[in-house]
């Protein structure tokens, strides 16, 4: 709708209070013919050019000292495409007027966005290269329903908030503008006159690239092409496949030795990927790579959910890193943070002067543990923003799975809160019903839209049915971290072997609930920070015993039901607690035949044995895949069990958690024959004492522990053995 050109209307526009700049700017039909109006600060003279024939059809008059120009085009009644020939003080140029174009967002998109069902909202919102007619430019769209006005500012506007005010689509609260002056690589933000009359400069929530801290601007970029997920990568994520995950913080895995600067995505592709391949891991899990302002958050306080961090290179460099992993037949999982975001003023907090993305009440919307804000999961637009983010990373960056951070903090309104510091749900309970619905919706969306992609819950409570489908009342995750197993077994390993017999159940208790969920056994970054020490540092005894304990423990873990996750540095027993500001201690591997090399070689062989023997992984979540052979030998701290695959093949696993050699130790087995010792954590190849069974051992006919056959073994000290029936 056109408005008259008055001093009041002009000043409303230039002072940033106009929600419909198209009503004043651009081409308008008036009683005297067509009229063109433009706000061009610092312009000296402005002419209108007919794009069809290139002729000058009018000269505009400056009618306001701020730079508002207006002029009639006589004898022209029908709108036409035009551009503006502008003379500045020291330059001249022809530009396309952004206020000659119609609305951008289609009604169907607006409806889906409002309903919370737009699974790819990032295709509508944010900044996108576009072509309207034969004119190239960038479309901008941002949701800020309570703002009084919004303008896009950036390199293309000299960061002048007056130049490019946006149009409000009142039915959706979305502001939009097509800007021919903007180009790929330009930095930009949104200047928002908020509901309280305050001016805020905000980064784009949907920015595909963002400046590296301390700079905070968004950067115009394109979406990488969608690439389908091949069947081989889908199969690698299945419950009956081997899954050995190497958890990595890209900023501290390795650094340049001269100045301790970060490796780039390309350098990481050249160094990290071959290392993971050589070590036999099947998956990499990346700590969050979404852009974040504070290095010390390790990425867990993101403000650029759609932006790969620029710390290590461009978004396409990151995409190439993922492709390098896939070429090496390694799947990539992203640690994803839908539970909270930081309060930095350029981010989502009070985006339009109201609590738009977060709950308004601090008892619902503030995390006391992390001083962060909580997403309002009951708001449809927030639902779009978060759930679409998973499709974005999977489809455009080919990520194979997502680990949801801090799920417990999302599920419970009283998480880490005292009485009176939280608000019950509508039924009076402590569960966050909106967050539960969001999780179910997102997992179902990903499962239906992106088959083969997995989601993993870091969930530390006994919330039921975490890995059951939403249609069966579950949350819909594919896997859940087994935090209880991790805490129990680490507590056991920290005890002196002489006292372990009194805590035998810490190693066996996990089997009582092992089939309640689809579990991953995690030795994650959280266990090796904030004074907890390193994994090798948690082991007891002298140095030899520490390394032996660690190898025995990892051997036990790799054979225990559940997929595996190991944090970087643990695979070579780094002494020092993890520090995100420095490289891992790779120098520990420089000494030939060091115990650190022994652990590294053992982890590599663990992975190779694990992947080569289906009984160790195929039936992780079926009771038929596991059987205790020796479960109650408290005095000797010995555990023996059998793992089975669907074909009935077996691997016998025996762990001795005392520093004592047990000669003629009898273990009952199901099948007679010759058993090969396929892995021995005490081998000299791993810097062990090389006690064992000379490679293989025959069963004896006497029954034991209810089994028809038995093995009389030599059990090495602080060691784990894997035995396989010889063909």
């Amino acid at each position: 709708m056109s408005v008259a050109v008055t001093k009041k209307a002009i000043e409303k526009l230039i002072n940033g209070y106009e929600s419909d700049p198209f009503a004043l700017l651009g081409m308008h039909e008036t009683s005297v013919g067509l009229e063109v109006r433009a706000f061009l600060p610092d312009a000296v003279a402005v002419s209108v050019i007919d794009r069809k024939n290139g002729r000058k059809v009018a000269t505009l008059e400056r009618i306001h000292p701020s730079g508002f120009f207006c002029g009639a085009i006589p004898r022209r009644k029908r709108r036409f495409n035009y551009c503006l020939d502008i003379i500045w003080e020291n330059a001249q140029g022809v530009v396309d007027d952004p206020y000659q174009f119609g609305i951008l967002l289609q009604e169907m998109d607006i409806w889906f966005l409002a309903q919370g069902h737009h699974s790819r909202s990032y295709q509508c919102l944010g900044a996108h290269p576009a072509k309207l007619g034969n004119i190239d430019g960038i479309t901008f769209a941002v949701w800020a329903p309570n703002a009084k006005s919004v303008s896009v500012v950036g390199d293309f506007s000299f960061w002048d908030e007056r130049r490019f005010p946006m149009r409000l689509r009142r039915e959706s609260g979305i502001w939009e503008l097509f800007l021919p002056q903007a180009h790929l690589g330009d930095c930009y933000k949104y200047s928002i006159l908020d509901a309280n009359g305050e001016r805020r400069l905000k980064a784009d929530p949907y920015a595909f690239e963002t400046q590296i801290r301390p700079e905070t601007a968004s950067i115009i970029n394109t979406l990488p092409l969608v690439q389908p997920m091949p069947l081989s990568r889908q199969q690698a994520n299945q419950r009956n496949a081997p899954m050995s995950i190497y958890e990595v913080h890209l900023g501290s895995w390795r650094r340049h030795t001269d100045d301790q600067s970060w490796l780039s995505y390309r350098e990481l592709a050249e160094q990290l990927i071959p290392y993971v391949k050589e070590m036999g891991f099947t998956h990499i899990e990346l700590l969050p790579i979404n852009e974040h302002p504070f290095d010390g958050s390790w990425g867990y306080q993101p403000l650029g959910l759609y932006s790969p961090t620029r710390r290590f290179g461009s978004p396409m460099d990151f995409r190439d890193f993922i492709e390098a992993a896939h070429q090496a037949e390694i799947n990539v999982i992203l640690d994803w943070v839908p539970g909270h975001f930081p309060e930095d003023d350029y981010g989502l907090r009070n985006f339009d002067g109201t609590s738009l993305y977060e709950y308004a009440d601090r008892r619902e919307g503030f995390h006391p543990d992390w001083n962060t804000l909580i997403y309002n999961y009951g708001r449809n637009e927030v639902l779009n923003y978060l759930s679409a983010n998973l499709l974005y990373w999977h489809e455009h960056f080919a990520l194979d799975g997502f680990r949801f951070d801090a799920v417990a903090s999302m599920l419970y309104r009283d998480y880490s809160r005292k009485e009176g510091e939280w608000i019950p749900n509508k039924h009076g309970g402590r569960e966050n019903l909106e967050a539960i619905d969001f999780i179910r919706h997102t997992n179902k969306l990903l499962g239906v839209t992106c088959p083969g992609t997995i989601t993993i819950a870091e969930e530390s409570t006994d919330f039921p049915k975490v890995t059951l489908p939403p249609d069966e009342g579950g949350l819909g995750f594919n896997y859940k971290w087994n935090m209880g197993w991790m805490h129990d077994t680490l507590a056991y390993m920290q005890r002196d072997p002489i006292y372990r017999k009194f805590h035998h159940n810490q190693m066996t208790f996990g089997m009582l609930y092992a089939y309640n969920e689809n579990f991953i056994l995690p030795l994650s970054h959280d266990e090796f920070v904030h004074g907890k020490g390193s994994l090798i540092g948690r082991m007891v005894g002298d140095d030899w015993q520490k390394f032996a304990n660690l190898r025995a423990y990892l051997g036990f873990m790799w054979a225990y039901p559940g997929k595996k996750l190991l944090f970087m540095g643990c695979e070579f027993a780094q002494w020092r607690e993890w520090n995100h500001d420095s490289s891992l201690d790779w120098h520990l591997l420089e000494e030939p035949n060091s115990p650190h090399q022994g652990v590294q070689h053992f982890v590599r062989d663990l992975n190779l044995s694990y992947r080569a023997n289906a009984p160790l992984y195929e039936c992780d979540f079926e009771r038929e895949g596991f059987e205790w052979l020796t479960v109650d030998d408290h005095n000797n701290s010995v555990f023996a069990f059998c793992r089975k695959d669907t074909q009935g093949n077996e691997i016998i696993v025996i762990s001795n958690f005392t520093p004592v050699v047990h000669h003629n130790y009898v273990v009952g087995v199901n099948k007679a024959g010759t058993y090969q010792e396929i892995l021995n954590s005490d081998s000299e190849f791993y810097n062990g004492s090389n006690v064992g069974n000379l490679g293989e051992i025959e069963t004896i006919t006497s029954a034991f522990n209810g089994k028809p056959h038995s093995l009389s073994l030599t059990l090495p000290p602080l060691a784990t053995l894997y035995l396989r029936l010889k063909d």
Side-chain angles (χ1 to χ4, degrees):
M1 176 181 176
S2 180
V3 298
V5 179
T6 64
K7 181 179 179 182
K8 182 178 179 180
I10 294 173
E11 291 183 347
K12 182 181 179 182
L13 173 78
I14 62 179
N15 290 326
Y17 287 92
E18 179 58 71
S19 62
D20 185 13
F22 286 79
L24 187 62
L25 297 171
M27 182 177 283
H28 296 263
E29 298 174 6
T30 70
S31 58
V32 296
L34 294 177
E35 189 174 80
V36 174
R37 310 160 184 171
F39 178 58
L40 298 164
D42 305 322
V44 175
V46 182
S47 302
V48 179
I49 307 296
D50 188 332
R51 284 187 63 90
K52 185 175 182 180
N53 55 32
R55 294 177 182 173
K56 175 180 174 181
V57 294
T59 298
L60 304 186
E61 178 186 358
R62 183 200 295 267
I63 63 172
H64 193 281
S66 64
F68 192 94
F69 291 80
C70 182
I73 306 175
R75 299 182 299 278
R76 299 288 292 266
K77 295 185 178 181
R78 307 186 77 177
R79 294 173 181 268
F80 60 92
N81 293 329
Y82 68 95
C83 52
L84 302 175
D85 186 355
I86 306 172
I87 298 175
W88 311 93
E89 286 190 7
N90 300 312
Q92 181 175 359
V94 176
V95 300
D96 291 292
D97 185 357
Y99 298 97
Q100 65 181 299
F101 301 102
I103 60 174
L104 302 177
L105 283 180
Q106 301 302 306
E107 294 299 326
M108 188 62 73
D109 284 322
I110 286 178
W111 188 84
F112 278 120
L113 287 167
Q115 295 298 312
H117 299 317
H118 206 304
S119 57
R120 296 175 180 84
S121 54
Y122 57 85
Q123 294 179 346
C124 303
L125 299 172
H128 297 267
K131 195 180 191 78
L132 297 189
N134 61 348
I135 299 174
D136 292 313
I138 305 295
T139 62
F140 295 91
V142 62
W143 177 56
N146 303 301
K148 295 181 178 179
S149 72
V150 179
S151 60
V152 58
V153 297
D155 297 337
F156 41 80
S157 70
F158 309 103
W159 295 88
D160 185 343
E161 62 197 28
R162 302 172 300 163
R163 291 178 184 266
F164 295 122
M166 305 175 75
R167 168 169 42 205
L168 172 63
R169 303 291 296 275
R170 296 188 182 279
E171 68 274 31
S172 64
I174 295 172
W175 301 75
E176 64 179 17
L177 186 67
F178 174 70
L179 202 54
Q181 287 84 345
H183 302 90
L184 287 174
D186 284 347
C187 293
Y188 72 101
K189 282 187 179 181
Y190 297 111
S191 178
I192 298 176
L193 186 65
D194 72 14
N196 306 309
E198 296 181 7
R199 182 67 63 178
R200 298 175 179 272
L201 204 57
K202 294 287 189 178
D204 189 345
Y206 283 90
F208 301 143
E209 186 175 358
T210 304
Q211 287 182 307
I212 188 173
R213 52 91 179 118
E215 304 302 325
T216 58
S218 304
I219 301 174
I220 301 171
N221 205 337
T222 56
L223 283 169
L225 296 176
V226 173
Q227 296 193 14
M229 186 179 190
L231 184 60
S232 59
R233 283 173 28 218
Q234 295 184 41
Q235 291 173 336
N237 283 343
Q238 297 305 306
R239 296 193 311 163
N240 63 353
M243 185 178 294
S244 176
I245 305 167
Y246 188 60
E247 190 188 32
V248 178
H249 177 253
L250 293 180
S252 58
W253 178 74
R254 180 178 290 162
R255 294 195 174 195
H256 292 114
T257 55
D258 52 351
D259 59 1
Q260 283 296 297
S261 61
W262 296 307
L263 298 184
S264 67
Y265 289 125
R266 294 186 181 278
E267 289 170 323
L268 287 162
E270 294 168 355
Q271 299 179 39
L272 172 60
I273 300 303
Y275 177 76
V276 174
K277 178 75 170 176
E278 179 186 359
M279 290 296 296
F281 290 97
T282 63
H283 292 64
I284 298 174
E285 182 174 312
L286 303 176
L287 269 63
I289 53 81
N290 316 82
E291 196 57 81
H292 52 283
F294 176 46
D295 292 357
S297 76
W298 317 326
Y300 286 99
Q301 294 190 10
L303 273 180
L305 276 192
Y306 288 80
S307 300
T309 179
R310 284 284 317 185
R311 286 166 173 81
F312 317 117
S314 70
M316 282 310 300
D317 290 338
F318 177 64
R319 177 66 189 85
D320 291 343
F321 168 82
I322 302 299
E323 179 59 26
H326 290 158
Q327 290 295 324
E329 300 179 322
I330 297 167
N331 278 17
V332 184
I333 299 167
L334 177 64
D335 211 335
W336 191 59
V337 188
H340 57 108
F341 61 92
E343 294 197 80
D344 300 64
D345 195 54
Y346 72 91
L348 301 179
R349 179 176 70 91
N350 288 335
F351 193 78
D352 62 357
T354 67
S355 297
L356 199 59
Y357 284 86
E358 68 271 27
Y359 288 108
D361 194 313
R362 299 281 279 191
R363 292 174 295 173
E364 295 179 289
F366 180 73
H367 261 312
D369 284 358
W370 305 304
N371 294 321
T372 52
L373 300 177
I374 301 171
Y375 290 105
N376 184 347
Y377 303 107
R379 198 158 203 164
N380 288 339
E381 294 84 355
V382 176
L383 185 69
N384 289 327
Y385 176 70
L386 291 173
S387 60
N389 191 245
L390 292 185
L391 268 64
Y392 166 80
W393 288 111
H394 169 70
E395 294 185 340
H396 296 280
F397 287 88
L399 285 158
D400 302 288
F402 303 91
R403 177 260 195 187
F404 284 38
D405 175 63
V407 171
S409 75
M410 301 170 64
L411 296 176
Y412 297 105
R413 289 172 166 265
D414 63 345
Y415 181 86
S416 198
R417 288 177 172 82
K418 300 175 183 177
E419 187 174 350
E421 295 179 349
W422 59 282
I423 301 175
N425 62 36
K426 61 184 180 182
H427 303 301
R430 56 193 285 257
E431 295 82 9
N432 187 330
L433 302 179
E434 297 93 348
I436 292 170
D437 288 342
F438 157 71
I439 290 171
R440 286 173 173 159
H441 166 81
T442 301
N443 279 326
K444 189 170 184 178
L445 172 67
L446 196 66
V448 171
T449 311
C450 311
T453 310
I454 56 172
T455 57
I456 303 165
E458 185 215 4
E459 205 286 306
S460 55
T461 73
D462 57 355
F463 193 92
K465 303 179 181 180
V466 172
T467 55
L468 257 64
D471 294 342
E472 298 179 23
L475 293 182
F477 288 99
N478 299 91
Y479 300 100
K480 172 183 172 175
W481 275 16
N482 194 335
M483 311 291 278
W485 177 91
M486 179 269 298
H487 285 300
D488 284 348
T489 57
L490 280 180
Y492 179 87
M493 296 306 298
Q494 288 176 265
R495 301 185 187 280
D496 190 294
I498 198 171
Y499 300 117
R500 285 176 177 169
K501 61 184 178 182
F502 302 113
H503 303 277
H504 200 73
N505 66 315
Q506 288 185 311
M507 298 296 272
T508 61
F509 179 71
M511 286 310 302
L512 296 180
Y513 60 86
Y515 304 106
N516 292 354
E517 305 281 2
N518 303 329
F519 282 121
I520 290 176
L521 311 180
L523 293 177
S524 76
H525 65 280
D526 278 330
E527 303 315 309
F528 313 117
V529 290
H530 304 320
K532 296 178 184 177
S534 63
L535 181 58
I536 183 67
R538 307 276 272 277
M539 302 297 117
V540 296
D542 58 26
D543 283 358
W544 187 94
Q545 290 184 344
K546 286 179 182 293
F547 282 96
N549 268 307
L550 177 55
R551 295 193 304 270
Y553 176 57
L554 293 175
F556 180 88
M557 170 183 174
W558 251 248
Y560 192 92
K563 308 309 180 185
K564 327 299 174 190
L565 180 141
L566 188 66
F567 184 54
M568 64 180 197
C570 295
E571 81 279 10
F572 63 83
Q574 173 171 296
W575 285 113
R576 182 172 54 88
E577 182 179 272
W578 173 52
N579 178 4
H580 71 274
D581 276 331
S582 63
S583 169
L584 296 180
D585 292 341
W586 296 102
H587 64 274
L588 296 174
L589 297 168
E590 294 174 359
E591 181 183 344
N593 302 316
S594 70
H596 299 281
Q597 282 189 349
V599 173
Q600 186 186 49
H601 293 161
F602 180 65
V603 171
R604 178 197 61 197
D605 289 353
L606 258 184
N607 279 327
L608 297 179
S609 297
Y610 169 67
R611 296 170 65 175
N613 292 279
L616 293 174
Y617 62 80
E618 193 174 67
C619 298
D620 271 330
F621 311 114
E622 285 77 44
R623 294 182 185 276
E624 308 81 59
F626 178 91
E627 182 182 15
W628 283 114
L629 301 177
T630 300
V631 68
D632 56 358
D633 190 358
H634 302 71
N635 289 328
N636 292 312
S637 297
V638 170
F639 305 85
F641 55 86
C642 174
R643 294 298 310 277
K644 306 174 186 179
D645 65 14
T646 56
Q647 304 302 311
N649 300 305
E650 298 181 351
I651 296 291
I652 307 300
V653 181
I654 308 164
S655 293
N656 172 20
F657 287 111
T658 65
V660 178
V661 178
H662 296 301
H663 296 285
N664 302 315
Y665 190 92
V666 180
V667 175
V669 294
N670 296 309
K671 299 179 180 180
T674 302
Y675 282 80
Q676 293 177 302
E677 196 176 74
I678 61 173
L679 197 70
N680 180 348
S681 70
D682 192 50
S683 167
E684 63 181 355
F685 295 111
Y686 313 129
N687 285 84
S689 60
N690 213 35
V691 174
N693 297 277
L694 301 178
E696 59 183 45
I697 187 170
E698 293 273 355
T699 56
I700 53 180
T701 55
S702 56
F704 188 78
N705 270 357
K707 303 302 175 188
H709 313 282
S710 56
L711 294 168
S712 181
L713 299 154
T714 298
L715 299 188
L718 298 174
T720 294
L721 304 178
Y722 290 1
L723 306 175
R724 180 178 61 199
L725 191 63
K726 201 170 182 179
D727 291 339

